[in-house]
Structure formats: C-alpha cells, structure tokens
Amino acid sequence: MGLGDFLKRLFGGAALGVDELARRVGVPEENLRNADLSYRTFTIPKRAGGSRTISVPNPSLKSLQRRILRRLLARLKCHPAAQGFERGRSIVTNARPHVGKAVVVRMDIRDFFTSTGAKRVEKYFRRIGWNKDAARLLVRLLALDGGLPQGAPTSPRLSNLVNRRLDARLAGLAASFCARRPSEAPSSAAYTRYADDLTFSFDKDDPPEIRRLIHSADVIAKDEGYALHHRRKLSIRRRHASQRVTGLVVNDRVNLPRATRRWLRAVEHHLATGRKATLSPAQLKGWQAFASMVEAEREKPAGGQ
C-alpha cells in the first residue's frame, strides 16, 4: 500500500483538501488562495561560463514558502542518495561514498530546477495524499512558469522529494553494474546526487560497462523529464588522475584539492607576515572553518549508501 493510499484510509477514504493544508501551514485558506505570486528575476554568471536565472519570490510569498517548507516538506523523506540541501548531509557526505574507487563518473543535469516540471510536482502531492485542489494550489504557490524557481526556499527540498524515483532508478543502475558478471569477485558501486550533479563510482574499470552506464543514465534522465550534459560536464576519472566529487578530491580520502590547500597556507603566511593576500582575515576564517568541516566529516561512516 502506497503512502497516498495509507493517508486516504487514515482520513476516512478521502484525500486531504485545502482546509487541511491551511491548518497544517497555519495560514487561512483565503490567504493561501489569494497570495501574491510575484517574483523578482535576474541573472548571475556561472563559473564555467554562461548565466543562471534566479527568481526570488516577493517577501510575503517567501515567508509563506518557508512555512510550507518547515511544516510540510521537511517531514517528508527523499532517497538516501540525495545529498544536497538535506539536514546532516553535505558535499563531504556526497563525496565520501566514492573514495578509493577505480573509476569516478560525473554527469550534470541541464537546467535542473526549471526542468523539474510543475505537472510532476502536482503528481507527487497527489501521490502522498492531497486532493486535486490542494495539489494544484501547492503548485501555484511553489512553482513558476511550469517548473521550480531557482531562488525559492522550497525548490531545493522539493526537487529532492519529487526525484525520489529518479534517484532510486539511478542507484539501481549503479548496482546492476556489479551484477553483470556474477562469476567474478564481488565489487561495489556507489551513486549520489547533489542537486544537478550525478556521481557514480566503481571498484572495477570496465570501459564498455561505463559506456553502458552513461547511455542508461541518459535514458533514465530523459524518462524523468531531464537532459544531461554530454560533453563539457561529463567527467570520467580513473585512479591515476585527480578524482573530484563536488569539488573535493576522493582518490584516497576526502580532501580539499592540493592547489587549494597550498593557496590557503600561502594566504595564512601572507596575512601573518603583513603582506598583501588574496583573502581578508574574515574570508580566511571562513575558508579555515570549511577546511575543518571537511576534515571532521570525512572520517565518519558513509551511512545510507
């Protein structure tokens, strides 16, 4: 029995309506239906070139979305492979399952948030027990132009919830890599996703199987409504090269790249000796806190992978 069926039975056979949504969020139904849905839209440059469109909801809508996030979305479960925007998970937990692997394969989803379609979001809310009116109202409050707005506080968490099936299928794909040749010694595979960044890693380097994996991941992504970058954002790294996952090196253990560590030591030395540095003392403290977090988190068990 699915969660939606369970909720329907629990509440007397009827799906949850707007009145229940208003009660849970703590906002009058009239205010939900008449909310100001305006956004401020602007672009920012991407590090790798091009620009990213950011849509920030007006203050009243942002406040309402935060209430929905805290009171509704935060209690729901996503797939354990989803490492971004989740409490207790980070770029370190995203990188840790891929440490010491023969091959690390990284792929990137194009326009991830805006490609997370409003129809899929509505189906998700219907599936977990909301009726059509409530599900459509939630979509009106949380989606923009047919997708999730990058800039809304609810979009990261909602993208993880909606993509539970995507993560389950890709995790199954990684597991099938190990099951192809049962006569061989057991091997392991890992899959994690940090927002639009997909990472697979394997104990064995099998180029034909890796090509199969890339093709199959592309098919699954298309079936779920996404397109993958095929050239610039596809990365296949083996042990002899620097294997990176969400910016961290994973060849032997999770660590900052060597160039970054050297740069930080140089900044520390310059500031300590009164010389000009590329970071201010406050900025250096932020980097040092980040490096300490990486060091503290890397030794913990992967958990859930």
Side-chain angles (χ1 to χ4, degrees):
M1 180 173 62
L3 178 58
D5 294 331
F6 170 76
L7 289 172
K8 289 178 183 179
R9 290 189 183 184
L10 182 64
F11 289 92
L16 306 178
V18 176
D19 56 340
E20 176 63 16
L21 175 62
R23 187 191 70 80
R24 294 191 181 192
V25 177
V27 175
E29 181 176 334
E30 181 180 1
N31 291 10
L32 292 178
R33 293 190 183 277
N34 297 318
D36 178 3
L37 304 179
S38 61
Y39 288 77
R40 178 172 61 90
T41 300
F42 55 93
T43 59
I44 59 174
K46 295 181 180 180
R47 286 187 300 176
S51 61
R52 189 186 310 278
T53 299
I54 306 296
S55 297
V56 178
N58 69 76
S60 63
L61 180 58
K62 180 182 286 188
S63 177
L64 176 56
Q65 289 175 341
R66 283 175 173 162
R67 291 178 74 90
I68 293 173
L69 176 62
R70 291 194 307 269
R71 299 190 177 201
L72 191 66
L73 303 183
R75 303 180 183 185
L76 302 171
K77 289 186 177 182
C78 65
H79 194 277
Q83 297 295 313
F85 322 117
E86 296 295 321
R87 182 175 296 182
R89 305 181 197 179
S90 66
I91 63 170
V92 180
T93 64
N94 185 60
R96 201 186 303 135
H98 308 290
V99 169
K101 296 297 184 71
V103 185
V104 175
V105 180
R106 291 177 42 236
M107 290 174 262
D108 186 82
I109 299 174
R110 296 179 181 176
D111 304 319
F112 176 63
F113 287 107
T114 56
S115 295
T116 304
K119 290 184 178 179
R120 289 183 60 216
V121 175
E122 181 180 343
K123 287 182 179 179
Y124 170 76
F125 283 124
R126 292 298 307 277
R127 189 167 65 250
I128 65 172
W130 297 99
N131 68 17
K132 182 182 294 186
D133 192 19
R136 288 183 175 178
L137 178 56
L138 280 165
V139 169
R140 286 185 65 243
L141 295 171
L142 305 180
L144 176 68
D145 297 331
L148 296 182
Q150 187 162 0
T154 45
S155 292
R157 183 94 233 277
L158 190 52
S159 70
N160 284 344
L161 295 170
V162 171
N163 282 303
R164 186 179 181 92
R165 187 176 70 173
L166 169 71
D167 290 327
R169 294 178 69 183
L170 292 176
L173 175 63
S176 73
F177 187 100
C178 301
R180 298 289 287 184
R181 296 182 177 85
S183 61
E184 295 184 355
S187 63
S188 65
Y191 160 73
T192 61
R193 179 177 60 81
Y194 196 99
D196 58 354
D197 196 0
L198 314 178
T199 305
F200 299 85
S201 61
F202 310 97
D203 285 345
K204 296 182 179 179
D205 184 0
D206 188 333
E209 286 292 270
I210 292 172
R211 289 194 293 270
R212 179 187 70 84
L213 172 99
I214 294 170
H215 172 74
S216 299
D218 186 61
V219 170
I220 291 172
K222 286 181 180 177
D223 191 43
E224 297 292 335
Y226 297 110
L228 300 181
H229 287 281
H230 286 288
R231 295 182 181 177
R232 188 165 53 91
K233 299 273 183 91
L234 171 63
S235 171
I236 304 172
R237 291 297 181 99
R238 294 173 169 84
R239 292 284 294 167
H240 63 272
S242 177
Q243 297 172 320
R244 298 192 185 188
V245 178
T246 43
L248 301 174
V249 177
V250 296
N251 290 66
D252 299 305
R253 62 176 182 169
V254 177
N255 210 346
L256 292 174
R258 181 178 300 175
T260 301
R261 301 197 306 272
R262 288 177 174 173
W263 168 66
L264 286 175
R265 286 196 295 269
V267 170
E268 290 173 356
H269 179 70
H270 283 200
L271 290 175
T273 56
R275 298 164 61 189
K276 185 177 180 180
T278 55
L279 295 177
S280 68
Q283 290 172 325
L284 176 61
K285 285 185 178 180
W287 271 97
Q288 289 172 330
F290 172 66
S292 296
M293 183 273 290
V294 171
E295 184 174 355
E297 289 288 320
R298 68 187 175 199
E299 303 302 332
K300 294 180 181 179
Q305 299 301 324

